[in-house]
Amino acid sequence: MCGICGELRLDGGRPDLGAISRMTARLDRRGPDHEGSYSDGPLAFGHRRLAIIDLSERANQPMVDQELGLALVFNGTIYNYPALRETLKQKGYHFYSDGDSEVILKAWHAWGDRCVEQLQGMFAFAIWDQGKKQLFMARDRMGIKPFYYSHSDSQFRFASNVQALLASGGVDISLDAVALHNQFTLHAVVPAPRTILQGVRKLAPGHSLLLDADGKRTERRYWQLSATRPARPRSDGEWLESIHDALRLAVHKRNNISDVPVGVLLSGGLDSSLLVALLAESGVSDLRTFSVGFEDHPDEKGSEFEYSDQVVERYGTTHHKYLIPNEEVLKRLPEAVDAMAEPMFGQDAVAFYLLSEQVSKQIKVVQSGQGADEVFGGYFWYSRMMAEQQGSPVERFARHYFDRDHEEYLRMVTAEYRGDDYTSQHIAELLGEPGADSFMDAVLRMDVTTLIVDDPVKRVDNMTMAWGLEARVPFLDQQLVELAAQCPPELKLREGGKYPLKAMARGILPDSVIDRPKGYFPMPALKYVRGDFLHFMRDILESAACRQRGLYSRAYVDLLLSAPEMHHTRLVGSKLWHLALLEYWLQRNVDGR
């Protein structure tokens, strides 16, 4: 896990090494163990390292192979690198380090742009071919690792977060109207390649990008998820057994491919509790677990300790539990916003930020349960969508997911930002893609490949890496995701959702953990806005900067401020928090206030 950045000049000039230095400095928290840079003609790289595999200096980056004429910057972990290493050795390649980074270099030399199809794991990387004067970049299939870029006629720059790109200078910071519509409709999800800023784009998951020094650009989608039934029908028992085997292997890989200890973020829900059980089942004796909770609200509990404690007791883990008071949440909120590569509405972003701070004092790698609900249909709205037959696919989806319909969005923004219903158009395209047997197959596939990428997955990466903590997500293992996508939705949605995981957990987890209502990493103060939190948001939305920006209709802002607890989204998020968060992110990260 690391922070990467670079610049390729497209006009025959030399890269701005000052810009590389500024970008690298903004990535320091992603990689506290080493800083490096490299330049060759029109190309320059910067790198910040978090040492997880091969802790020696030989694995520092940028990694340069003079024999092959290649240089690499890489963020992530390749779980099948030992097997690939042996395959490449048989092809005659020699290795000078013991980690996964050098395997990527050799794989590119051996297989060209098809190398990404050999890699299993989470990754974002760039390889410079000195001889061909080509820059090859790729992002993992599930979009677990970020890859942002800015592209002009004269240069191409990339980085692991938006803040680094902005620090390089010369980025168009005007707001993207399409992305803005996505932001307020899809729970802060802005699908690639867009971001909220016109001058910043991101490489889509499962895509690679090849760029010549003369500006020729080739983007390729190297992976596509199929949500169709297999040729040979399977019984329910066969599905459950296959899924159990695949998840067990995914958890095992993410524990063993590391030269430092691996812990678990234990929320008290089924998903993270199951990770603990499977690790114990595989023979891991020194299990380290970490939980966080917040103050209760009259309408909602602020912690799930009553469930996580049961798992800790059953498996005897070395457990660390943190209870964060509301005054600490509000005091630390600006830091969490600064750590967001893009503005995030999810109330648990601050929770993950504060938890990661504490965990990073104990350990450098954790497993986390993100992805289980999307892969196995755990959210309450899935069954409602499946039961409802009226309307087009987009209408069926929107009624249960969209934070605002188009008419409300038009009332929320000023005339300058009003336009077409861009979000519905994009969702229609995604749901209409071939390779899905049913409406629910298409919905679950879209959630796994698009929505989750820019909501919980991005949130966990940003908040953990802000403290130099690597989060591994076994529920987004490639083989597991591909298997689950073929599984009939009816089986996944049985018993309120995630039936394969519930069946797997029987007997190895307390029934109270398995059968409990779905939890959402509670942060009541950001859902039921009142007191100091309301004053905080009011100050943001009534600030001179917000008024000068002219994004929000003042009538809409005043409506939310007058009764914030009456205005929630379908997914029970505070609409007032949405407006305040985006404005606050722009003030701190774009305006520099």
Side-chain angles (χ1 to χ4, degrees):
M1 286 293 224
C2 305
I4 64 175
C5 63
E7 176 183 325
L8 177 63
R9 296 292 300 195
L10 307 175
D11 58 1
R14 296 288 178 178
D16 182 345
L17 299 185
I20 294 295
S21 178
R22 293 192 298 274
M23 286 196 289
T24 306
R26 292 305 302 268
L27 299 169
D28 60 339
R29 296 181 65 165
R30 294 185 69 93
D33 296 331
H34 177 262
E35 177 180 351
S37 60
Y38 163 87
S39 64
D40 173 55
L43 182 282
F45 282 154
H47 189 269
R48 294 290 317 206
R49 184 186 182 199
L50 178 63
I52 301 296
I53 300 174
D54 186 353
L55 308 183
S56 72
E57 294 181 359
R58 297 188 305 272
N60 284 343
Q61 297 182 47
M63 181 172 283
V64 181
D65 189 320
Q66 297 292 4
E67 180 182 353
L68 300 180
L70 302 174
L72 166 80
V73 285
F74 159 54
N75 169 30
T77 302
I78 307 301
Y79 300 118
N80 67 330
Y81 87 89
L84 285 177
R85 181 186 176 98
E86 292 306 310
T87 298
L88 291 162
K89 279 184 175 180
Q90 293 172 14
K91 288 179 171 289
Y93 289 95
H94 304 286
F95 288 83
Y96 306 96
S97 65
D98 298 319
D100 49 354
S101 302
E102 192 176 358
V103 169
I104 299 175
L105 273 176
K106 267 57 172 186
W108 159 256
H109 189 267
W111 298 304
D113 67 352
R114 315 294 296 195
C115 69
V116 287
E117 297 164 25
Q118 303 287 332
L119 305 177
Q120 297 176 15
M122 51 183 181
F123 54 83
F125 65 83
I127 294 177
W128 172 244
D129 190 314
Q130 298 171 349
K132 297 179 181 178
K133 300 299 179 187
Q134 289 181 327
L135 180 64
F136 177 75
M137 298 151 283
R139 190 178 181 198
D140 67 72
R141 297 164 182 81
M142 308 309 302
I144 301 168
K145 303 314 300 174
F147 193 100
Y148 295 96
Y149 65 86
S150 61
H151 193 176
S152 68
D153 292 338
S154 61
Q155 67 190 18
F156 179 94
R157 288 176 177 164
F158 68 88
S160 295
N161 63 32
V162 171
Q163 289 83 352
L165 280 178
L166 293 175
S168 72
V171 177
D172 180 358
I173 59 173
S174 59
L175 297 181
D176 183 317
V178 176
L180 196 64
H181 197 284
N182 297 156
Q183 178 88 20
F184 282 103
T185 308
L186 292 175
H187 200 56
V189 169
V190 177
R194 296 182 184 275
T195 76
I196 202 74
L197 302 178
Q198 285 279 8
V200 178
R201 293 296 179 251
K202 54 197 175 194
L203 188 60
H207 282 66
S208 65
L209 179 61
L210 183 65
L211 193 61
D212 294 343
D214 62 4
K216 181 183 178 183
R217 172 175 171 157
T218 305
E219 188 166 347
R220 182 173 78 91
R221 184 176 186 174
Y222 68 85
W223 181 78
Q224 193 163 2
L225 182 62
S226 175
T228 59
R229 304 291 83 78
R232 185 187 72 80
R234 299 184 185 183
S235 67
D236 288 357
E238 288 176 316
W239 279 116
L240 296 180
E241 182 178 3
S242 297
I243 290 169
H244 193 168
D245 290 343
L247 180 57
R248 185 189 290 116
L249 180 59
V251 171
H252 178 76
K253 284 187 295 187
R254 282 156 183 79
N255 186 71
N256 286 13
I257 302 298
S258 175
D259 292 331
V260 297
V262 180
V264 177
L265 297 182
L266 179 59
S267 70
L270 169 64
D271 314 327
S272 59
S273 300
L274 189 54
L275 298 182
V276 172
L278 292 176
L279 284 167
E281 180 185 84
S282 69
V284 177
S285 56
D286 182 23
L287 271 170
R288 308 184 195 188
T289 53
F290 306 86
S291 301
V292 67
F294 300 90
E295 289 183 27
D296 291 342
H297 182 277
D299 298 320
E300 184 176 66
K301 295 193 66 173
S303 80
E304 300 179 347
F305 291 155
E306 63 180 290
Y307 300 106
S308 58
D309 287 348
Q310 295 177 48
V311 178
V312 169
E313 182 179 2
R314 171 166 291 202
Y315 288 105
T317 70
T318 302
H319 190 55
H320 302 268
K321 186 162 58 175
Y322 309 101
L323 183 63
I324 312 295
N326 280 343
E327 62 182 20
E328 182 73 5
V329 173
L330 189 55
K331 183 173 71 176
R332 306 293 299 283
L333 189 57
E335 297 175 43
V337 172
D338 289 348
M340 297 177 181
E342 299 175 71
M344 303 174 189
F345 293 161
Q347 62 185 29
D348 59 359
V350 187
F352 273 108
Y353 181 81
L354 295 173
L355 176 59
S356 299
E357 177 185 20
Q358 300 301 324
V359 175
S360 66
K361 298 174 183 178
Q362 307 286 335
I363 208 165
K364 294 176 74 171
V365 184
V366 289
Q367 295 202 35
S368 187
Q370 275 63 46
D373 286 296
E374 291 81 3
V375 173
F376 292 102
Y379 293 124
F380 66 85
W381 56 84
Y382 290 135
S383 57
R384 294 180 183 178
M385 286 183 196
M386 187 165 69
E388 185 176 312
Q389 301 296 321
Q390 294 183 340
S392 67
V394 173
E395 291 169 339
R396 291 173 66 183
F397 178 80
R399 273 194 290 267
H400 299 285
Y401 190 90
F402 281 10
D403 286 338
R404 295 160 186 78
D405 57 29
H406 185 55
E407 288 69 26
E408 182 179 353
Y409 177 81
L410 295 179
R411 294 195 303 272
M412 184 190 79
V413 297
T414 55
E416 180 182 353
Y417 297 100
R418 294 170 189 158
D420 293 339
D421 189 354
Y422 302 116
T423 302
S424 292
Q425 295 169 8
H426 187 63
I427 294 300
E429 293 172 5
L430 292 174
L431 292 176
E433 286 185 352
D437 277 355
S438 69
F439 167 71
M440 282 311 302
D441 284 309
V443 167
L444 290 168
R445 179 183 62 181
M446 177 178 67
D447 209 344
V448 169
T449 58
T450 303
L451 302 182
I452 187 178
V453 175
D454 283 292
D455 190 12
V457 169
K458 177 173 64 184
R459 189 158 67 244
V460 171
D461 173 81
N462 283 195
M463 298 300 115
T464 55
M465 289 302 288
W467 296 104
L469 178 68
E470 174 176 309
R472 298 179 172 182
V473 281
F475 289 106
L476 294 181
D477 178 84
Q478 176 192 345
Q479 283 72 34
L480 178 63
V481 167
E482 290 174 343
L483 176 65
Q486 293 184 310
C487 180
E490 295 77 13
L491 181 61
K492 289 181 281 192
L493 295 176
R494 189 182 298 175
E495 295 186 7
K498 289 195 292 197
Y499 175 73
L501 303 185
K502 293 176 180 177
M504 188 187 311
R506 295 293 174 193
I508 61 174
L509 286 178
D511 286 347
S512 57
V513 172
I514 300 171
D515 299 323
R516 56 163 294 195
K518 164 68 182 166
Y520 293 93
F521 212 155
M523 174 71 75
L526 292 179
K527 182 187 297 185
Y528 306 100
V529 180
R530 59 180 62 169
D532 290 342
F533 285 83
L534 177 56
H535 296 319
F536 174 76
M537 296 180 199
R538 184 186 301 275
D539 287 346
I540 293 169
L541 294 171
E542 292 185 345
S543 67
C546 183
R547 293 177 181 275
Q548 290 168 8
R549 200 179 314 280
L551 169 58
Y552 303 135
S553 160
R554 298 314 304 179
Y556 187 86
V557 171
D558 292 341
L559 175 67
L560 298 192
L561 285 171
S562 66
E565 294 190 52
M566 292 180 60
H567 298 280
H568 286 93
T569 68
R570 294 179 176 91
L571 303 185
V572 202
S574 165
K575 291 184 177 180
L576 182 65
W577 168 239
H578 289 190
L579 270 65
L581 184 279
L582 175 60
E583 174 60 29
Y584 196 49
W585 186 89
L586 290 170
Q587 288 184 18
R588 293 189 67 85
N589 293 286
V590 179
D591 302 347
R593 296 178 184 271

